[in-house]
Amino acid sequence: MKVTLGTVGASTTADVLAVLVAEEELSTDPVLQELDEALGGVLRVAVKDEEFTARKDTALVVQGYGKVPARRVVLYGLGASAKVTPLEVRAACAKAARLTNTEKGTGLALVLPGKGAALDVRAAAEGVLLGSYRFVRHLTGDRKPRKDLDRVVVGWRGAGREARATAEQKRALSKGEAVAQAVNLCRDLVNEPANEMPPARLAEAASEVARAHGLTLRVLDRARIRAAGMKLLDAVGRGSRNEPRFIHLSYKPEKARKGTRRVVLVGKGLTFDSGGLSIKQAAGMGDMKADMAGAAAAIASMAAVGALKPDVEVHAVVAAAENMPDGDAYRPGDIFGSLDGKTVEIINTDAEGRLVLADALAYARKLEPDYLIDQATLTGACLIALGTLTAALYGNDDELAGQYLAAARTAGEGLWRMPLLEELRDGLKSDVADLKHTGDRYGGSISAALFLREFVGDCKWLHLDIAGPAFLDRATTLSPKGGTGFGVLTFLHFLEGLSG
Ligand code: BES
Ligand code: MN
Ligand code: ZN
Protein backbone atom coordinates (compact mmCIF):
# COMPACT_ATOMS: atom_id res chain seq x y z
CA MET A 1 0.00 0.00 0.00
CA LYS A 2 1.20 3.47 -0.87
CA VAL A 3 0.46 6.21 1.66
CA THR A 4 1.20 9.79 0.66
CA LEU A 5 0.73 13.21 2.20
CA GLY A 6 -1.13 15.75 0.13
CA THR A 7 -4.08 17.98 -0.49
CA VAL A 8 -7.51 16.46 0.04
CA GLY A 9 -10.78 18.22 -0.63
CA ALA A 10 -14.07 18.03 -2.52
CA SER A 11 -12.27 17.56 -5.84
CA THR A 12 -10.17 14.60 -4.66
CA THR A 13 -10.69 11.35 -6.54
CA ALA A 14 -11.05 8.34 -4.24
CA ASP A 15 -13.41 5.48 -3.51
CA VAL A 16 -13.84 6.79 0.01
CA LEU A 17 -13.23 10.36 1.15
CA ALA A 18 -13.11 10.37 4.95
CA VAL A 19 -13.15 13.56 6.98
CA LEU A 20 -12.26 13.30 10.66
CA VAL A 21 -14.20 15.90 12.63
CA ALA A 22 -14.18 17.06 16.21
CA GLU A 23 -17.49 18.28 17.63
CA GLU A 24 -16.45 21.96 17.49
CA GLU A 25 -15.43 21.69 13.82
CA LEU A 26 -18.73 20.33 12.57
CA SER A 27 -20.47 23.62 11.77
CA THR A 28 -17.47 25.77 10.87
CA ASP A 29 -15.06 23.47 9.09
CA PRO A 30 -14.04 24.83 5.64
CA VAL A 31 -13.47 21.31 4.26
CA LEU A 32 -17.02 20.30 5.19
CA GLN A 33 -18.40 23.56 3.77
CA GLU A 34 -16.59 22.94 0.50
CA LEU A 35 -17.97 19.39 0.39
CA ASP A 36 -21.48 20.52 1.25
CA GLU A 37 -21.45 23.05 -1.58
CA ALA A 38 -20.13 20.52 -4.07
CA LEU A 39 -22.82 18.06 -2.97
CA GLY A 40 -25.56 20.67 -3.37
CA GLY A 41 -26.28 20.97 0.35
CA VAL A 42 -26.82 17.25 0.89
CA LEU A 43 -24.21 17.06 3.62
CA ARG A 44 -25.95 19.59 5.85
CA VAL A 45 -29.26 17.83 5.41
CA ALA A 46 -27.73 14.45 6.24
CA VAL A 47 -26.04 15.85 9.35
CA LYS A 48 -29.40 17.18 10.51
CA ASP A 49 -31.49 14.15 9.57
CA GLU A 50 -29.09 11.68 11.13
CA GLU A 51 -28.57 13.91 14.15
CA PHE A 52 -24.83 13.59 13.59
CA THR A 53 -22.94 15.62 16.20
CA ALA A 54 -19.38 14.23 15.67
CA ARG A 55 -19.56 12.34 18.93
CA LYS A 56 -16.67 9.92 19.38
CA ASP A 57 -17.13 6.57 17.59
CA THR A 58 -19.89 7.81 15.30
CA ALA A 59 -19.89 8.08 11.52
CA LEU A 60 -22.04 9.61 8.81
CA VAL A 61 -21.94 8.23 5.27
CA VAL A 62 -23.22 10.09 2.20
CA GLN A 63 -22.98 9.10 -1.47
CA GLY A 64 -20.96 11.13 -3.95
CA TYR A 65 -23.61 10.64 -6.73
CA GLY A 66 -21.24 12.04 -9.31
CA LYS A 67 -21.28 15.48 -7.72
CA VAL A 68 -17.87 14.87 -6.24
CA PRO A 69 -15.32 12.40 -7.63
CA ALA A 70 -15.42 10.34 -4.42
CA ARG A 71 -17.91 7.45 -4.39
CA ARG A 72 -18.59 7.87 -0.70
CA VAL A 73 -17.99 10.72 1.70
CA VAL A 74 -17.76 9.71 5.33
CA LEU A 75 -17.56 11.91 8.40
CA TYR A 76 -15.91 10.27 11.42
CA GLY A 77 -16.74 11.88 14.76
CA LEU A 78 -13.86 12.36 17.18
CA GLY A 79 -15.70 13.89 20.14
CA ALA A 80 -14.64 17.08 21.92
CA SER A 81 -11.53 18.49 20.27
CA ALA A 82 -9.69 19.03 23.56
CA LYS A 83 -9.89 15.29 24.21
CA VAL A 84 -8.88 14.02 20.78
CA THR A 85 -5.69 11.94 20.96
CA PRO A 86 -3.81 10.16 18.17
CA LEU A 87 -5.59 6.96 19.31
CA GLU A 88 -8.97 8.33 18.17
CA VAL A 89 -7.42 9.43 14.89
CA ARG A 90 -5.92 5.99 14.41
CA ALA A 91 -9.23 4.25 15.13
CA ALA A 92 -11.16 6.45 12.67
CA CYS A 93 -8.55 5.90 9.94
CA ALA A 94 -8.69 2.16 10.56
CA LYS A 95 -12.47 2.22 10.12
CA ALA A 96 -12.15 4.22 6.90
CA ALA A 97 -9.61 1.73 5.56
CA ARG A 98 -11.79 -1.24 6.49
CA LEU A 99 -14.79 0.44 4.84
CA THR A 100 -12.83 1.02 1.63
CA ASN A 101 -12.00 -2.68 1.51
CA THR A 102 -15.56 -3.85 2.19
CA GLU A 103 -16.77 -1.47 -0.53
CA LYS A 104 -14.26 -3.14 -2.86
CA GLY A 105 -12.44 0.15 -3.29
CA THR A 106 -8.73 0.73 -3.78
CA GLY A 107 -8.34 4.44 -3.03
CA LEU A 108 -8.90 6.31 0.23
CA ALA A 109 -8.46 10.01 0.95
CA LEU A 110 -8.34 11.25 4.54
CA VAL A 111 -8.63 14.65 6.12
CA LEU A 112 -7.05 14.79 9.58
CA PRO A 113 -8.32 17.10 12.33
CA GLY A 114 -6.45 20.33 12.98
CA LYS A 115 -3.31 21.05 11.02
CA GLY A 116 -2.01 17.52 10.56
CA ALA A 117 0.16 17.22 13.66
CA ALA A 118 3.00 14.72 13.26
CA LEU A 119 1.52 12.37 15.84
CA ASP A 120 -1.79 12.37 13.96
CA VAL A 121 -0.02 11.65 10.67
CA ARG A 122 1.70 8.69 12.29
CA ALA A 123 -1.61 7.55 13.76
CA ALA A 124 -3.23 7.77 10.32
CA ALA A 125 -0.54 5.63 8.74
CA GLU A 126 -0.88 3.06 11.52
CA GLY A 127 -4.67 3.14 11.27
CA VAL A 128 -4.95 2.54 7.52
CA LEU A 129 -2.34 -0.23 7.49
CA LEU A 130 -3.73 -2.00 10.55
CA GLY A 131 -7.39 -1.49 9.66
CA SER A 132 -7.09 -2.79 6.11
CA TYR A 133 -5.21 -5.96 7.10
CA ARG A 134 -6.69 -9.24 5.89
CA PHE A 135 -5.22 -12.75 5.96
CA VAL A 136 -6.07 -14.10 2.50
CA ARG A 137 -3.05 -16.22 1.61
CA HIS A 138 -5.04 -19.46 1.63
CA LEU A 139 -8.13 -18.20 -0.21
CA THR A 140 -8.66 -19.02 -3.87
CA GLY A 141 -11.12 -18.16 -6.66
CA ASP A 142 -14.11 -16.09 -5.60
CA ARG A 143 -12.98 -16.18 -2.00
CA LYS A 144 -9.86 -14.21 -2.79
CA PRO A 145 -10.54 -10.45 -2.70
CA ARG A 146 -9.83 -9.04 -6.17
CA LYS A 147 -9.36 -5.53 -4.88
CA ASP A 148 -7.40 -4.27 -1.95
CA LEU A 149 -6.95 -0.77 -0.60
CA ASP A 150 -3.66 0.28 -2.16
CA ARG A 151 -3.58 4.09 -2.32
CA VAL A 152 -4.12 6.42 0.62
CA VAL A 153 -3.71 10.18 0.60
CA VAL A 154 -3.48 11.83 4.01
CA GLY A 155 -4.46 15.51 4.06
CA TRP A 156 -5.27 18.03 6.76
CA ARG A 157 -7.15 21.30 7.36
CA GLY A 158 -5.75 24.35 5.66
CA ALA A 159 -3.69 22.28 3.25
CA GLY A 160 -4.17 24.49 0.24
CA ARG A 161 -2.99 23.61 -3.26
CA GLU A 162 0.52 24.75 -2.49
CA ALA A 163 0.76 23.23 1.00
CA ARG A 164 3.79 21.00 1.33
CA ALA A 165 4.28 18.27 3.88
CA THR A 166 6.91 19.14 6.43
CA ALA A 167 9.95 16.98 7.08
CA GLU A 168 8.47 16.16 10.47
CA GLN A 169 5.23 14.95 8.89
CA LYS A 170 7.18 12.80 6.44
CA ARG A 171 9.21 11.22 9.23
CA ALA A 172 6.01 10.55 11.19
CA LEU A 173 4.51 8.89 8.13
CA SER A 174 7.46 6.51 7.67
CA LYS A 175 7.51 5.70 11.35
CA GLY A 176 3.81 4.85 11.34
CA GLU A 177 4.29 2.70 8.26
CA ALA A 178 7.25 0.83 9.77
CA VAL A 179 5.53 0.00 13.04
CA ALA A 180 2.24 -0.98 11.38
CA GLN A 181 4.05 -3.21 8.89
CA ALA A 182 5.71 -4.93 11.84
CA VAL A 183 2.33 -5.51 13.49
CA ASN A 184 0.97 -6.93 10.24
CA LEU A 185 3.99 -9.20 9.85
CA CYS A 186 3.32 -10.47 13.38
CA ARG A 187 -0.31 -11.12 12.41
CA ASP A 188 0.76 -13.03 9.29
CA LEU A 189 3.05 -15.27 11.32
CA VAL A 190 0.37 -15.92 13.95
CA ASN A 191 -2.43 -16.56 11.44
CA GLU A 192 -0.41 -19.07 9.45
CA PRO A 193 -1.60 -22.56 10.46
CA ALA A 194 0.78 -24.90 12.29
CA ASN A 195 1.32 -27.12 9.22
CA GLU A 196 2.70 -24.08 7.40
CA MET A 197 4.58 -22.61 10.36
CA PRO A 198 6.72 -25.24 12.10
CA PRO A 199 9.68 -24.01 14.20
CA ALA A 200 12.00 -24.16 11.18
CA ARG A 201 9.67 -21.84 9.23
CA LEU A 202 9.60 -19.41 12.12
CA ALA A 203 13.39 -19.36 11.97
CA GLU A 204 13.15 -18.64 8.22
CA ALA A 205 10.86 -15.71 8.98
CA ALA A 206 13.53 -14.40 11.35
CA SER A 207 16.10 -14.87 8.64
CA GLU A 208 14.00 -12.88 6.16
CA VAL A 209 13.81 -10.04 8.68
CA ALA A 210 17.56 -10.26 9.26
CA ARG A 211 18.30 -10.14 5.55
CA ALA A 212 15.94 -7.25 4.86
CA HIS A 213 17.43 -5.06 7.60
CA GLY A 214 21.00 -6.26 7.98
CA LEU A 215 20.49 -7.81 11.43
CA THR A 216 22.55 -10.61 12.94
CA LEU A 217 20.90 -14.02 13.21
CA ARG A 218 21.84 -17.17 15.09
CA VAL A 219 19.68 -20.30 14.82
CA LEU A 220 20.19 -23.55 16.74
CA ASP A 221 18.65 -26.78 15.45
CA ARG A 222 17.82 -29.77 17.67
CA ALA A 223 21.38 -31.09 17.81
CA ARG A 224 22.75 -27.67 18.72
CA ILE A 225 19.97 -27.04 21.25
CA ARG A 226 21.06 -30.29 22.95
CA ALA A 227 24.73 -29.41 22.70
CA ALA A 228 24.05 -26.00 24.24
CA GLY A 229 22.33 -27.64 27.23
CA MET A 230 18.82 -26.32 26.61
CA LYS A 231 17.31 -29.42 28.15
CA LEU A 232 13.86 -27.98 28.76
CA LEU A 233 13.39 -26.70 25.21
CA ASP A 234 14.61 -30.08 23.99
CA ALA A 235 12.17 -31.90 26.30
CA VAL A 236 9.16 -29.94 25.03
CA GLY A 237 10.18 -30.43 21.38
CA ARG A 238 10.87 -34.16 21.66
CA GLY A 239 7.39 -35.34 20.82
CA SER A 240 7.27 -33.71 17.39
CA ARG A 241 8.84 -34.59 14.06
CA ASN A 242 9.06 -30.85 13.49
CA GLU A 243 12.34 -30.10 15.20
CA PRO A 244 12.60 -27.24 17.68
CA ARG A 245 14.61 -24.13 16.88
CA PHE A 246 16.31 -21.59 19.08
CA ILE A 247 16.42 -18.19 17.39
CA HIS A 248 18.48 -15.14 18.31
CA LEU A 249 18.12 -12.00 16.22
CA SER A 250 20.09 -8.89 17.13
CA TYR A 251 20.43 -5.24 16.25
CA LYS A 252 23.25 -2.94 17.35
CA PRO A 253 23.16 0.80 16.72
CA GLU A 254 25.93 1.90 14.39
CA LYS A 255 27.60 4.26 16.78
CA ALA A 256 26.90 2.96 20.23
CA ARG A 257 27.47 5.77 22.70
CA LYS A 258 28.21 5.25 26.34
CA GLY A 259 24.73 5.18 27.81
CA THR A 260 23.26 3.01 25.03
CA ARG A 261 20.87 0.55 26.64
CA ARG A 262 20.57 -3.15 25.81
CA VAL A 263 17.11 -4.73 25.68
CA VAL A 264 16.37 -8.43 25.19
CA LEU A 265 12.87 -9.48 24.16
CA VAL A 266 12.15 -13.19 24.67
CA GLY A 267 9.20 -14.87 22.94
CA LYS A 268 7.37 -18.14 23.49
CA GLY A 269 7.32 -19.89 20.13
CA LEU A 270 5.03 -22.91 20.40
CA THR A 271 4.06 -23.31 16.76
CA PHE A 272 1.39 -25.72 18.00
CA ASP A 273 0.41 -26.70 21.51
CA SER A 274 -1.62 -29.90 21.62
CA GLY A 275 -0.85 -30.16 25.33
CA GLY A 276 1.43 -33.15 24.67
CA LEU A 277 0.58 -36.30 26.69
CA SER A 278 -1.53 -34.10 29.00
CA ILE A 279 -3.51 -33.51 25.84
CA LYS A 280 -5.98 -30.64 25.51
CA GLN A 281 -9.66 -31.17 24.81
CA ALA A 282 -10.65 -30.88 21.15
CA ALA A 283 -12.70 -27.67 21.47
CA GLY A 284 -10.46 -24.70 20.79
CA MET A 285 -7.31 -26.75 20.20
CA GLY A 286 -6.97 -25.24 16.74
CA ASP A 287 -6.36 -21.84 18.29
CA MET A 288 -3.09 -23.23 19.62
CA LYS A 289 -1.50 -22.50 16.25
CA ALA A 290 -1.27 -19.03 17.78
CA ASP A 291 0.83 -20.21 20.71
CA MET A 292 3.85 -18.64 19.04
CA ALA A 293 2.40 -15.12 19.22
CA GLY A 294 5.04 -13.99 21.72
CA ALA A 295 7.77 -15.19 19.36
CA ALA A 296 6.04 -13.60 16.37
CA ALA A 297 5.88 -10.27 18.20
CA ALA A 298 9.58 -10.49 19.03
CA ILE A 299 10.64 -11.32 15.46
CA ALA A 300 8.27 -8.81 13.86
CA SER A 301 9.32 -6.03 16.24
CA MET A 302 12.86 -6.51 14.96
CA ALA A 303 11.68 -5.59 11.46
CA ALA A 304 10.63 -2.17 12.75
CA VAL A 305 13.78 -1.89 14.84
CA GLY A 306 15.85 -2.61 11.72
CA ALA A 307 13.93 0.02 9.77
CA LEU A 308 13.87 2.75 12.44
CA LYS A 309 17.37 2.13 13.83
CA PRO A 310 16.83 3.36 17.40
CA ASP A 311 19.72 4.25 19.64
CA VAL A 312 19.18 1.04 21.67
CA GLU A 313 20.75 -2.39 21.30
CA VAL A 314 17.89 -4.84 20.78
CA HIS A 315 17.84 -8.63 20.81
CA ALA A 316 14.96 -10.99 20.05
CA VAL A 317 15.34 -14.44 21.55
CA VAL A 318 12.84 -17.13 20.61
CA ALA A 319 12.39 -20.69 21.84
CA ALA A 320 10.36 -22.45 19.16
CA ALA A 321 8.96 -25.97 19.44
CA GLU A 322 5.86 -28.03 18.77
CA ASN A 323 4.21 -29.72 21.76
CA MET A 324 2.90 -33.11 20.61
CA PRO A 325 2.03 -36.50 22.13
CA ASP A 326 4.33 -39.22 20.80
CA GLY A 327 6.36 -42.30 21.76
CA ASP A 328 9.27 -39.98 22.45
CA ALA A 329 7.26 -37.19 24.09
CA TYR A 330 8.20 -35.92 27.55
CA ARG A 331 6.00 -37.19 30.35
CA PRO A 332 4.47 -36.03 33.62
CA GLY A 333 6.86 -37.12 36.35
CA ASP A 334 9.99 -36.73 34.20
CA ILE A 335 12.84 -34.66 35.61
CA PHE A 336 15.06 -32.51 33.39
CA GLY A 337 17.98 -30.23 33.94
CA SER A 338 18.00 -26.80 32.28
CA LEU A 339 20.39 -24.33 30.70
CA ASP A 340 20.39 -22.51 34.02
CA GLY A 341 21.36 -25.70 35.88
CA LYS A 342 18.23 -26.05 38.00
CA THR A 343 16.33 -29.35 37.72
CA VAL A 344 12.59 -29.36 37.00
CA GLU A 345 9.95 -31.98 37.74
CA ILE A 346 7.31 -32.12 35.03
CA ILE A 347 3.76 -32.07 36.35
CA ASN A 348 1.58 -31.39 33.32
CA THR A 349 3.02 -31.45 29.81
CA ASP A 350 0.54 -28.75 28.80
CA ALA A 351 2.48 -26.23 30.90
CA GLU A 352 5.22 -26.30 28.24
CA GLY A 353 5.56 -22.56 27.66
CA ARG A 354 7.32 -21.76 30.93
CA LEU A 355 9.78 -24.60 30.22
CA VAL A 356 10.97 -23.29 26.85
CA LEU A 357 11.01 -19.77 28.30
CA ALA A 358 13.15 -20.90 31.24
CA ASP A 359 15.94 -21.90 28.86
CA ALA A 360 15.45 -18.80 26.71
CA LEU A 361 15.59 -16.52 29.78
CA ALA A 362 18.75 -18.25 31.02
CA TYR A 363 20.32 -17.65 27.60
CA ALA A 364 19.09 -14.05 27.47
CA ARG A 365 20.51 -13.32 30.91
CA LYS A 366 24.00 -14.05 29.60
CA LEU A 367 23.62 -11.17 27.16
CA GLU A 368 23.64 -8.92 30.24
CA PRO A 369 20.62 -6.85 29.26
CA ASP A 370 19.60 -3.65 31.01
CA TYR A 371 16.04 -4.82 30.52
CA LEU A 372 14.86 -8.39 30.00
CA ILE A 373 11.31 -8.69 28.72
CA ASP A 374 9.40 -11.82 27.78
CA GLN A 375 6.10 -12.19 25.97
CA ALA A 376 4.12 -15.40 26.00
CA THR A 377 0.67 -16.84 25.45
CA LEU A 378 1.29 -18.54 28.75
CA THR A 379 -1.85 -19.35 30.70
CA GLY A 380 -5.59 -19.78 30.28
CA ALA A 381 -5.81 -18.48 33.85
CA CYS A 382 -4.75 -15.07 32.56
CA LEU A 383 -7.86 -14.94 30.37
CA ILE A 384 -9.99 -15.76 33.39
CA ALA A 385 -8.33 -12.94 35.33
CA LEU A 386 -8.26 -10.14 32.76
CA GLY A 387 -10.50 -11.14 29.86
CA THR A 388 -9.50 -11.38 26.23
CA LEU A 389 -8.38 -7.80 25.51
CA THR A 390 -5.85 -7.17 28.28
CA ALA A 391 -2.47 -8.76 28.88
CA ALA A 392 -0.92 -9.27 32.31
CA LEU A 393 2.34 -7.57 33.20
CA TYR A 394 4.61 -8.95 35.92
CA GLY A 395 7.95 -7.52 36.90
CA ASN A 396 10.62 -7.20 39.54
CA ASP A 397 11.34 -3.50 38.94
CA ASP A 398 8.69 -0.84 39.56
CA GLU A 399 10.29 1.82 37.41
CA LEU A 400 10.55 -0.49 34.40
CA ALA A 401 6.99 -1.71 34.95
CA GLY A 402 5.78 1.89 35.07
CA GLN A 403 7.61 2.78 31.86
CA TYR A 404 6.14 -0.21 30.10
CA LEU A 405 2.58 0.51 31.26
CA ALA A 406 2.99 4.07 29.99
CA ALA A 407 4.21 2.77 26.63
CA ALA A 408 1.15 0.51 26.42
CA ARG A 409 -1.15 3.47 27.09
CA THR A 410 0.44 5.47 24.28
CA ALA A 411 0.28 2.46 21.97
CA GLY A 412 -3.37 1.84 22.86
CA GLU A 413 -2.77 -1.74 24.02
CA GLY A 414 -4.36 -3.21 27.15
CA LEU A 415 -1.88 -4.07 29.86
CA TRP A 416 -2.51 -4.51 33.58
CA ARG A 417 0.06 -5.08 36.29
CA MET A 418 -0.33 -8.26 38.31
CA PRO A 419 1.44 -9.17 41.56
CA LEU A 420 4.17 -11.78 42.03
CA LEU A 421 2.53 -13.17 45.19
CA GLU A 422 5.21 -14.80 47.32
CA GLU A 423 2.65 -17.01 49.05
CA LEU A 424 2.19 -18.93 45.79
CA ARG A 425 5.91 -19.71 45.48
CA ASP A 426 5.51 -22.72 47.84
CA GLY A 427 3.41 -24.43 45.19
CA LEU A 428 6.52 -24.79 43.01
CA LYS A 429 8.45 -26.85 45.60
CA SER A 430 9.26 -30.38 44.51
CA ASP A 431 10.32 -33.37 46.62
CA VAL A 432 12.49 -34.84 43.89
CA ALA A 433 13.84 -31.85 41.90
CA ASP A 434 14.75 -28.20 42.48
CA LEU A 435 11.38 -27.06 41.17
CA LYS A 436 7.99 -28.33 40.07
CA HIS A 437 6.88 -26.47 37.00
CA THR A 438 3.25 -25.89 37.95
CA GLY A 439 1.70 -24.87 41.25
CA ASP A 440 -1.86 -24.43 42.41
CA ARG A 441 -4.60 -24.08 39.78
CA TYR A 442 -5.78 -20.91 41.51
CA GLY A 443 -3.55 -17.98 40.59
CA GLY A 444 -2.23 -19.96 37.62
CA SER A 445 -0.96 -16.94 35.70
CA ILE A 446 0.90 -15.75 38.82
CA SER A 447 2.57 -19.07 39.59
CA ALA A 448 3.69 -19.33 35.95
CA ALA A 449 5.33 -15.90 36.35
CA LEU A 450 6.94 -17.02 39.63
CA PHE A 451 8.38 -20.03 37.83
CA LEU A 452 9.91 -17.78 35.16
CA ARG A 453 11.38 -15.52 37.83
CA GLU A 454 13.57 -18.43 38.93
CA PHE A 455 15.49 -18.08 35.68
CA VAL A 456 16.09 -14.34 35.34
CA GLY A 457 18.81 -13.94 37.97
CA ASP A 458 19.09 -10.31 39.04
CA CYS A 459 18.08 -8.81 35.69
CA LYS A 460 15.45 -6.07 35.58
CA TRP A 461 12.71 -8.21 34.12
CA LEU A 462 9.15 -8.01 32.82
CA HIS A 463 6.87 -10.87 31.86
CA LEU A 464 3.82 -10.28 29.67
CA ASP A 465 1.17 -12.99 29.61
CA ILE A 466 -0.56 -12.24 26.29
CA ALA A 467 -2.76 -15.38 26.16
CA GLY A 468 -5.87 -13.18 25.86
CA PRO A 469 -5.23 -10.40 23.35
CA ALA A 470 -2.78 -12.16 21.00
CA PHE A 471 -5.52 -14.02 19.14
CA LEU A 472 -9.19 -13.02 19.11
CA ASP A 473 -12.30 -14.75 17.85
CA ARG A 474 -13.88 -11.45 16.89
CA ALA A 475 -12.74 -8.35 15.05
CA THR A 476 -11.77 -5.13 16.82
CA THR A 477 -11.44 -1.64 15.35
CA LEU A 478 -7.81 -2.25 14.44
CA SER A 479 -7.80 -5.95 13.71
CA PRO A 480 -9.88 -8.64 12.05
CA LYS A 481 -10.46 -11.98 13.80
CA GLY A 482 -7.35 -14.02 14.52
CA GLY A 483 -3.83 -12.78 15.20
CA THR A 484 -3.79 -9.18 16.44
CA GLY A 485 -0.05 -8.50 16.52
CA PHE A 486 -0.41 -7.63 20.21
CA GLY A 487 2.72 -6.41 21.96
CA VAL A 488 4.61 -5.03 18.97
CA LEU A 489 3.36 -1.44 19.34
CA THR A 490 4.00 -1.27 23.07
CA PHE A 491 7.49 -2.69 22.75
CA LEU A 492 8.36 -0.20 20.00
CA HIS A 493 7.00 2.72 22.04
CA PHE A 494 9.04 1.52 25.00
CA LEU A 495 12.19 1.52 22.84
CA GLU A 496 11.40 5.02 21.58
CA GLY A 497 11.23 6.14 25.19
CA LEU A 498 14.71 4.72 25.77
CA SER A 499 16.35 6.09 22.68
CA GLY A 500 15.16 9.64 23.37
N1 BES B 1 -0.72 -22.10 25.46
C1 BES B 1 -1.41 -22.41 26.65
C2 BES B 1 -2.09 -21.20 27.27
C3 BES B 1 -3.22 -20.58 26.49
C4 BES B 1 -4.54 -20.94 26.73
C5 BES B 1 -2.97 -19.61 25.56
C6 BES B 1 -5.55 -20.34 26.03
C7 BES B 1 -4.00 -19.00 24.85
C8 BES B 1 -5.29 -19.36 25.07
C9 BES B 1 -0.43 -22.97 27.69
O1 BES B 1 0.62 -23.71 27.18
C10 BES B 1 -1.20 -23.91 28.57
O2 BES B 1 -1.67 -24.89 28.08
N2 BES B 1 -1.30 -23.56 29.84
C11 BES B 1 -1.99 -24.37 30.78
C12 BES B 1 -1.17 -24.44 32.04
C13 BES B 1 -1.68 -25.44 33.04
C14 BES B 1 -1.53 -26.85 32.52
C15 BES B 1 -0.90 -25.27 34.32
C16 BES B 1 -3.34 -23.70 31.05
O3 BES B 1 -3.41 -22.47 31.10
O4 BES B 1 -4.32 -24.42 31.18
MN1 MN C 1 0.15 -25.73 26.90
ZN1 ZN D 1 1.19 -23.27 25.28
Side-chain angles (χ1 to χ4, degrees), residues 122 175 179 308 310 312 491-500:
R122 173 178 176 167
K175 210 175 239 184
V179 302
L308 299 173
V312 187
F491 180 67
L492 294 171
H493 273 286
F494 170 71
L495 292 182
E496 274 185 58
L498 293 181
S499 91

Side-chain angles (χ1 to χ4, degrees), residues 268 270 272-275 280 288 291 323 350-354 377-379:
K268 168 178 172 181
L270 265 289
F272 189 67
D273 177 16
S274 71
K280 289 182 183 293
M288 286 301 118
D291 210 17
N323 189 20
D350 196 10
E352 81 301 329
R354 63 196 77 183
T377 46
L378 203 59
T379 65

Side-chain angles (χ1 to χ4, degrees), residues 119-137:
L119 285 177
D120 287 342
V121 169
R122 173 178 176 167
E126 290 182 14
V128 293
L129 281 152
L130 297 177
S132 62
Y133 174 86
R134 294 185 279 197
F135 183 67
V136 296
R137 209 170 81 86

Side-chain angles (χ1 to χ4, degrees), residues 14-67:
D15 294 290
V16 173
L17 169 54
V19 185
L20 280 60
V21 252
E23 282 166 0
E24 293 85 343
E25 287 172 318
L26 188 57
S27 54
T28 56
D29 183 41
V31 175
L32 293 181
Q33 276 163 10
E34 184 196 338
L35 274 165
D36 188 50
E37 267 164 42
L39 289 165
V42 162
L43 196 56
R44 288 274 158 248
V45 175
V47 164
K48 196 152 167 278
D49 285 358
E50 307 285 321
E51 297 179 9
F52 180 78
T53 58
R55 216 162 14 94
K56 196 171 136 178
D57 290 329
T58 60
L60 176 73
V61 185
V62 297
Q63 314 297 316
Y65 288 134
K67 295 190 164 150

